[in-house]
Amino acid sequence: MDISSVRCTTKPLHSAVSRVRVCGNDAVAPGIRPKRFFSPQLPNELWDKIFSRLAIRDVRAVRATSKQWAAIGARHLFPFFRLSLGRQDFERLKMVVDYKEFVAGVKALYLETGKMGIYCISDILSIMISNGPWSTQTARELIRTNTAPALAEYASWNITAHLNTDKFRDVVLLKLVFESLEALESVHITRRSSSLENYLLGYAWCLAPKANYFNRSISEFHALLLALVGSRSRIRTLCHDQLPVTFFAFDTNVLKSLAVPLQGLRYLHLTFDATEPPRKVFWVGLGHFLRSIPKLQELNLGFSPVFGKRKNGGSWEDCDEILDWYVPLWKVFNSFTWENMKTIGLSRMVFCEAGLLEFLGRHTTTLRSLELSNVGLWQGSFRRILVKLKSTLALSSFNFWGHFKSFDTPGNEWRLRPQFSPWQAAWREATAIMLGALLSSTFSDDGSDQENAQDLVSKKVETFMVKGGTWPVELGQLPSDSDIKDQPAFDRVRIDQSWDEQAGAENKDRWELGWDDDIDANGNEILEQYDADGYDEYGFNIEGYNRNGVFHSRVPVPGDATGRQVSRATNKRRILRRIKDQIPRLDQVRIGA
């Protein structure tokens, strides 16, 4: 008989049925004891391997079946822990560390430090609501149903973020975090991912320029490294998905001291953020920092793929003078070699053929995995580089995707789609999906080389490099043997001299300095900005009138024949007010009408 039917029967066929007990999936008659469950006698190490393959929800369920599994499963409930600016995660962590079994399983720490102030969110949302991409009926309905929940969620996020604003820069607090997580192996800092769930907020987050918080991000990363210096923690993996280039303007001795707790580091992934071509002081400082970490096995360096060309202008693809982005690798690393380097990834940089080949060639005996994406060549040929790398490296993995352009070799420009989603694992799924959508068009910019934008071509390149497959004809003909031998002359002396002259003439005082924490010179939170005459960027004063005395909501929207569209200026003020009214600390703050 089906047990569920036994439970729901109001008049059982026999009185004994009402006394039936349920044990698991079996009905047990009165007086009969069910068999006890005994787990197989396996060493705890094997149980740990088994539990490590289970989803968190399954770990929770299995822990309820026996005391042994409850103890073992406790170590797998928190394989990683997130500390997010907009959530009360520091308080959650305090509760977790009270249970040694839980803490013993925390191997990775994710720090979501990205920030989006009220001024920024109101500006971005007003653009989204006012502009063309959202003019369809479906888009208008999406905005209508999501705006109120989005503003409510953002207000709640902002309140918590305001309370946490200094915690990621508190060296003492971060040191306590590291001391409490004794099994910690990896730290991931992400400014791109957030805990926001509303669709409109997620899209706005991806569009928002994070460069305004350069100073904040630098001080947070500095505090984290100082905390590691003062703790017993010795991590093996460190990742940062948007580190301002100005961090490496620190004094050389300071950078070397910050690298002390990273002596055991095996995996380092750094994605840099810039709004202009990086200065030589960045490359010099980066070189000193990296050379101070001798045991690296995986090194991944690149520039921000989202907030680059379209958002900040900090990309070689949108630079008038390509030499401003060019970096001679021998000036960064000198003759330094990592003895155990197995994986290298380089993205959104400009090299020369000789410099790139020489750097990779140093690691011929150990290098097995290579990824190149969105690379510019000041001098040389990608075809020649690939042929030479194939003959000198014994690669088991090779990824080659994005925008490639050789500036001295005509016809040597390709756009290849990746075979995988290159968005970092530290990002939440929603953030990764939206960033992927924003990036998808970059592989076929300006309509050129459309055929090369197919996924298949990058796969063919990998097969050519790793498995000895044929060269993809879509990328042109391979260079002849004579072309490979007789490559253009390379004036290293002239480059060294030019580099040294530029590095010595740089002004380090004013460089990439954004505002910090939405605070003005008087210590007030920035909600709006008015010029010296008292007018905002749209030409309206705090009372809402322009210089002609017309209220912002009565100014016609260009191209609106119906007279019912709302201007961006009006949308921004309405959004700002609706957010402000949900944040108690701003009750007494005056904003524009």
Side-chain angles (χ1 to χ4, degrees):
M1 180 180 292
D2 182 71
I3 297 303
S4 60
S5 64
V6 171
R7 287 174 171 169
C8 65
T9 301
T10 56
K11 294 182 179 180
L13 296 177
H14 193 280
S15 60
V17 176
S18 63
R19 300 196 302 274
V20 168
R21 294 181 294 115
V22 176
C23 180
N25 293 324
D26 300 319
V28 182
I32 299 178
R33 295 180 61 116
K35 293 182 179 180
R36 294 185 61 187
F37 170 75
F38 293 96
S39 61
Q41 299 301 309
L42 297 176
N44 284 347
E45 292 78 8
L46 289 180
W47 283 122
D48 275 324
K49 290 185 177 181
I50 294 171
F51 272 76
S52 66
R53 297 175 178 270
L54 298 179
I56 300 298
R57 63 178 181 275
D58 296 327
V59 173
R60 294 194 186 105
V62 173
R63 288 187 70 237
T65 61
S66 75
K67 290 184 178 180
Q68 180 192 11
W69 283 2
I72 297 173
R75 298 195 293 271
H76 298 272
L77 280 178
F78 297 95
F80 64 86
F81 201 94
R82 290 186 189 271
L83 295 176
S84 182
L85 181 67
R87 300 194 316 181
Q88 296 178 336
D89 290 330
F90 283 93
E91 289 72 17
R92 288 180 58 237
L93 182 60
K94 288 180 182 179
M95 292 187 291
V96 171
V97 297
D98 289 337
Y99 297 90
K100 296 296 183 182
E101 297 86 356
F102 293 161
V103 175
V106 181
K107 300 295 181 62
L109 181 65
Y110 291 89
L111 306 178
E112 293 180 341
T113 64
K115 193 171 188 289
M116 184 165 56
I118 297 173
Y119 176 86
C120 180
I121 186 63
S122 60
D123 188 55
I124 294 295
L125 287 178
S126 68
I127 295 174
M128 292 170 58
I129 293 174
S130 305
N131 283 7
W134 303 90
S135 60
T136 66
Q137 180 63 36
T138 303
R140 287 195 296 269
E141 181 63 19
L142 183 66
I143 290 173
R144 187 185 68 80
T145 57
N146 277 270
T147 299
L151 300 183
E153 182 183 351
Y154 173 77
S156 176
W157 180 92
N158 182 276
I159 291 170
T160 305
H162 183 76
L163 296 174
N164 290 335
T165 188
D166 292 323
K167 290 184 178 179
F168 291 100
R169 294 181 285 188
D170 187 333
V171 177
V172 175
L173 177 60
L174 293 175
K175 181 181 176 181
L176 290 175
V177 170
F178 291 131
E179 292 284 2
S180 63
L181 303 178
E182 297 178 357
L184 189 66
E185 295 179 354
S186 63
V187 176
H188 305 257
I189 305 99
T190 169
R191 295 178 67 205
R192 295 191 195 136
S193 184
S194 80
S195 58
L196 297 171
E197 297 180 356
N198 181 275
Y199 180 83
L200 290 182
L201 286 182
Y203 204 89
W205 183 272
C206 294
L207 293 174
K210 305 296 189 300
N212 288 336
Y213 302 101
F214 265 28
N215 291 341
R216 176 185 178 87
S217 181
I218 291 170
S219 61
E220 287 172 345
F221 193 56
H222 187 208
L224 181 141
L225 294 179
L226 287 177
L228 284 173
V229 170
S231 72
R232 299 188 302 271
S233 206
R234 291 297 178 264
I235 60 175
R236 296 170 60 86
T237 300
L238 178 63
C239 303
H240 198 308
D241 71 3
Q242 209 166 10
L243 179 62
V245 290
T246 42
F247 174 81
F248 294 97
F250 275 118
D251 181 78
T252 299
N253 292 328
V254 173
L255 291 172
K256 290 181 178 179
S257 66
L258 293 175
V260 169
L262 306 179
Q263 296 305 295
L265 205 67
R266 299 295 188 270
Y267 309 98
L268 179 63
H269 291 216
L270 297 178
T271 301
F272 309 115
D273 198 12
T275 64
E276 60 183 74
R279 300 189 181 183
K280 303 303 179 292
V281 64
F282 158 72
W283 296 112
V284 172
L286 175 64
H288 284 295
F289 184 75
L290 295 178
R291 295 198 303 271
S292 300
I293 311 174
K295 297 182 180 180
L296 282 179
Q297 297 179 8
E298 180 173 328
L299 177 63
N300 198 310
L301 304 175
F303 283 82
S304 175
V306 178
F307 308 103
K309 180 176 67 172
R310 287 179 171 77
K311 306 300 177 273
N312 296 346
S315 168
W316 65 262
E317 298 168 280
D318 196 38
C319 184
D320 295 331
E321 180 53 65
I322 193 61
L323 277 178
D324 290 342
W325 272 88
Y326 168 67
V327 52
L329 289 174
W330 66 84
K331 298 295 288 186
V332 177
F333 300 111
N334 296 333
S335 58
F336 187 84
T337 301
W338 286 277
E339 296 180 356
N340 299 308
M341 183 62 69
K342 298 178 181 178
T343 301
I344 292 178
L346 301 171
S347 176
R348 292 190 179 266
M349 300 181 187
V350 177
F351 309 114
C352 62
E353 177 180 327
L356 183 59
L357 289 173
E358 190 272 337
F359 173 68
L360 296 176
R362 301 178 194 174
H363 305 93
T364 300
T365 57
T366 59
L367 189 62
R368 295 297 175 263
S369 179
L370 177 62
E371 179 174 351
L372 299 175
S373 64
N374 300 287
V375 172
L377 272 187
W378 169 62
Q379 175 275 331
S381 163
F382 284 113
R383 297 186 186 94
R384 192 162 49 228
I385 287 176
L386 293 178
V387 170
K388 289 188 175 182
L389 289 179
K390 180 183 178 182
S391 64
T392 57
L393 300 178
L395 295 176
S396 59
S397 173
F398 180 71
N399 289 308
F400 190 74
W401 61 274
H403 183 195
F404 297 89
K405 183 176 182 179
S406 175
F407 288 86
D408 77 337
T409 306
N412 210 189
E413 181 173 9
W414 309 324
R415 290 181 175 87
L416 311 180
R417 292 188 183 278
Q419 306 168 48
F420 58 96
S421 295
W423 333 131
Q424 290 199 13
W427 302 350
R428 295 177 186 269
E429 182 180 4
T431 309
I433 291 173
M434 291 181 183
L435 288 175
L438 288 173
L439 284 173
S440 62
S441 62
T442 63
F443 305 116
S444 57
D445 286 350
D446 308 321
S448 60
D449 286 343
Q450 290 289 338
E451 294 181 359
N452 295 343
Q454 299 174 0
D455 304 30
L456 183 61
V457 178
S458 59
K459 178 65 176 177
K460 289 181 178 178
V461 174
E462 178 189 3
T463 303
F464 170 77
M465 295 292 293
V466 176
K467 301 178 181 179
T470 58
W471 172 257
V473 296
E474 297 93 332
L475 302 184
Q477 297 298 318
L478 283 177
S480 63
D481 293 339
S482 59
D483 182 40
I484 293 175
K485 295 178 181 178
D486 301 330
Q487 65 183 61
F490 184 69
D491 192 347
R492 180 165 178 163
V493 175
R494 181 177 62 85
I495 292 175
D496 284 348
Q497 182 179 359
S498 175
W499 174 278
D500 295 337
E501 290 176 353
Q502 292 184 52
E506 285 182 344
N507 179 8
K508 300 180 183 180
D509 296 332
R510 298 293 301 177
W511 178 39
E512 298 269 29
L513 296 179
W515 66 18
D516 187 43
D517 281 351
D518 307 293
I519 303 299
D520 63 19
N522 299 318
N524 300 316
E525 190 169 354
I526 299 174
L527 305 183
E528 300 174 293
Q529 285 190 318
Y530 296 94
D531 61 22
D533 296 327
Y535 291 92
D536 65 12
E537 58 184 311
Y538 304 106
F540 298 97
N541 59 24
I542 197 167
E543 284 80 20
Y545 295 94
N546 62 18
R547 287 177 169 83
N548 297 323
V550 181
F551 198 67
H552 61 80
S553 62
R554 295 186 176 276
V555 175
V557 177
D560 177 25
T562 65
R564 290 179 295 183
Q565 290 188 18
V566 179
S567 69
R568 181 178 165 189
T570 299
N571 274 327
K572 183 173 182 178
R573 293 195 176 212
R574 289 177 178 176
I575 291 170
L576 177 59
R577 181 160 298 280
R578 292 174 68 181
I579 293 175
K580 173 189 172 297
D581 289 346
Q582 300 180 71
I583 301 178
R585 74 175 186 274
L586 303 177
D587 284 345
Q588 304 303 315
V589 177
R590 184 189 179 194
I591 61 174

